[in-house]
Amino acid sequence: MAIPAYRPPEDPGLWEAFLERLERTLKVAAVHPTTVEYLAHPKRLVTVSLPVVMDDGKVRVFQGYRVVHDIARGPAKGGVRLHPGVTLGQTAGLAAWMTLKAAVYDLPFGGAAGGVAVDPKALSPRELERLVRRYTAELVNLIGPDIDILGPDVGTDQQVMAWIMDTYSMTVGSTVPGVVTGKPHALGGSEGRDDAAGLGVALVLRELAQRRGLPLEGARVAVQGFGQVGGSFALHAEAMGLKVVAVSTGRGVMYREAGLPVGEVLRHYEATGELPDYHLAPEEVFALPVDYLVLAALEGALDGERAKGVQARAVLEAANFALTLEAEAYLLGKGVLVVPDLLTGGGGLLASYLEWVQDLNMFFWSADEVRQSFTKSVAKAVAEVCARAEGLGADLRTGALALALERLNEATRLRGVYP
């Protein structure tokens, strides 16, 4: 029977996916019913209407959201997404997933997420800035470096984070770099932040390859999604000796059996928004004969039907919820190693934590110091997830979920219920 839980008024989206995974993990993880109640009900859900003066002088109202899921282990932390598909249910699910991801990496954060239902590419730079600043102004009393820290997600970048930081700082009357992460270095951003998400995926793969005896040198990789995560992962994978044979976007797949010149392809993509060539349809990337398939686009990319064509020996979920439950069950049944987003997708969150710590102390580390701390934390997370999975005789996702829920359970127990 389904656990009692919050239900979004429409489009349950990723929140429903979170609840399904929560219910499954409760069968193997020791979690008190009080903790389950907390996790099944977000702490705060905010819906805001955002009137913006467009360049033609007309006013257009956009719908925005911010969800704080749980703060048992620390202040909330989560991204801001600008995408037409943003909904309250999706935002709640992403916030809950951030709660779990922070617990997997043993970071002192709770989970949050936010966004606006908009296509940012359809706005002029001035319209985009006005929208972002209005969104920030609506939330200014609910965010802060010790309350809820914002960061980049789909459709947002360093410039957006700079606007958020400036709007918040101007409102409270002092410069507060710690209200956001992923901002420009000139405003308190951390060294090594730009490629952190992709580097995290590469380091997780390297750690698992050493533990599981998987090949690296010359191993073939296909990357679905060639944005900031997929592009940086491809560069790091190439540097580690892997052969990136395919990258894809929503337009199609660039495939070269001998391997792609990743740097050259990435420069072309960043300059034009297009890959140099398209050899296959977008969905064909999933069935390529490779060792590793990396999912670095949006949620639900690999479903049960597409999973039947997968030839990779390991699938790495670099994007949140990139695998459906049906797809994962099928792949595990075939003996494919599935590396879950809670582990593979932690690089951005880990880098955000390091940036936040530096901002709070106003003391900044070198790129080498950041990279050393980052690498050590990834290795620790992989070791702990593997140990928990092996202890349960389960897959890596179950191990990661159990580890996260048990850490959240302990924090909730120690804090108690107020009042």
Side-chain angles (χ1 to χ4, degrees):
M1 188 175 76
I3 59 176
Y6 162 76
R7 305 290 173 180
E10 57 186 19
D11 183 27
L14 300 183
W15 176 253
E16 195 68 34
F18 158 71
L19 290 178
E20 289 179 6
R21 287 167 170 83
L22 174 62
E23 288 186 66
R24 293 186 180 204
T25 312
L26 291 177
K27 298 175 183 179
V28 298
V31 181
H32 193 276
T34 299
T35 302
V36 177
E37 288 283 351
Y38 271 103
L39 296 176
H41 297 85
K43 175 179 174 58
R44 181 168 63 238
L45 301 106
V46 177
T47 301
V48 290
S49 295
L50 307 170
V52 176
V53 179
M54 308 303 283
D55 289 346
D56 61 4
K58 296 180 180 179
V59 174
R60 182 179 170 190
V61 178
F62 299 87
Q63 202 72 40
Y65 307 95
R66 188 69 184 174
V67 176
V68 172
H69 175 247
D70 186 89
I71 58 169
R73 289 173 52 86
K77 176 74 185 80
V80 177
R81 177 175 290 199
L82 302 181
H83 189 274
V86 169
T87 65
L88 183 59
Q90 178 200 64
T91 306
L94 291 171
W97 219 235
M98 187 63 76
T99 298
L100 297 175
K101 195 176 293 184
V104 166
Y105 274 81
D106 205 14
L107 300 177
F109 286 141
V116 180
V118 62
D119 178 4
K121 295 179 181 178
L123 303 181
S124 73
R126 288 294 298 155
E127 289 171 337
L128 179 61
E129 180 178 353
R130 287 194 287 267
L131 174 62
V132 170
R133 288 185 181 276
R134 182 60 189 247
Y135 175 77
T136 307
E138 292 289 345
L139 299 175
V140 74
N141 293 321
L142 300 174
I143 61 178
D146 55 355
I147 301 172
D148 182 6
I149 306 111
L150 285 64
D153 198 341
V154 174
T156 55
D157 56 15
Q158 288 190 354
Q159 180 59 72
V160 170
M161 295 303 108
W163 289 331
I164 293 173
M165 175 198 157
D166 180 68
T167 305
Y168 180 85
S169 297
M170 293 299 290
T171 304
V172 302
S174 61
T175 300
V176 188
V179 69
V180 296
T181 61
K183 55 192 171 292
H185 185 259
L187 298 180
S190 175
E191 294 279 4
R193 178 64 175 82
D194 293 347
D195 66 343
L199 174 61
V201 180
L203 291 177
V204 168
L205 174 56
R206 187 179 70 182
E207 291 292 324
L208 285 172
Q210 293 173 351
R211 289 177 170 274
R212 301 290 180 96
L214 300 173
L216 283 181
E217 188 68 35
R220 297 158 57 83
V221 185
V223 184
Q224 185 253 342
F226 203 50
Q228 187 172 15
V229 179
S232 64
F233 164 77
L235 282 174
H236 287 294
E238 184 180 59
M240 287 166 45
L242 288 93
K243 185 188 298 183
V244 180
V245 299
V247 296
S248 78
T249 68
R251 287 282 308 278
V253 182
M254 184 176 182
Y255 175 62
R256 187 176 298 172
E257 191 172 349
L260 298 171
V262 176
E264 180 182 322
V265 173
L266 188 58
R267 284 190 294 273
H268 186 280
Y269 181 71
E270 290 175 341
T272 67
E274 300 284 349
L275 296 175
D277 292 295
Y278 294 101
H279 304 116
L280 303 169
E283 65 275 8
E284 293 183 83
V285 70
F286 303 112
L288 291 174
V290 295
D291 297 290
Y292 304 112
L293 172 62
V294 176
L295 307 176
L298 292 174
E299 55 270 4
L302 184 55
D303 58 20
E305 188 61 33
R306 289 174 173 171
K308 295 176 182 178
V310 170
Q311 300 185 57
R313 62 195 302 176
V315 174
L316 289 82
E317 193 180 31
N320 292 323
F321 297 99
L323 275 166
T324 66
L325 287 170
E326 294 75 18
E328 183 167 14
Y330 179 83
L331 293 174
L332 291 173
K334 282 182 58 179
V336 175
L337 174 65
V338 174
V339 190
D341 48 3
L342 291 176
L343 182 60
T344 317
L349 177 59
L350 180 55
S352 291
Y353 167 70
L354 296 174
E355 180 178 337
W356 176 70
V357 169
Q358 293 173 83
D359 286 338
L360 291 183
N361 291 281
M362 285 299 181
F363 182 83
F364 294 88
W365 307 318
S366 69
D368 287 343
E369 289 172 319
V370 171
R371 187 60 54 88
Q372 289 173 9
S373 180
F374 187 92
T375 302
K376 182 178 179 181
S377 294
V378 171
K380 176 176 178 288
V382 171
E384 290 174 339
V385 168
C386 286
R388 195 69 191 93
E390 291 162 7
L392 293 171
D395 59 274
L396 291 177
R397 187 185 305 279
T398 301
L401 283 166
L403 181 66
L405 292 177
E406 287 158 2
R407 285 174 171 169
L408 287 160
N409 185 68
E410 179 66 2
T412 304
R413 181 188 69 81
L414 289 170
R415 291 186 62 158
V417 180
Y418 176 84

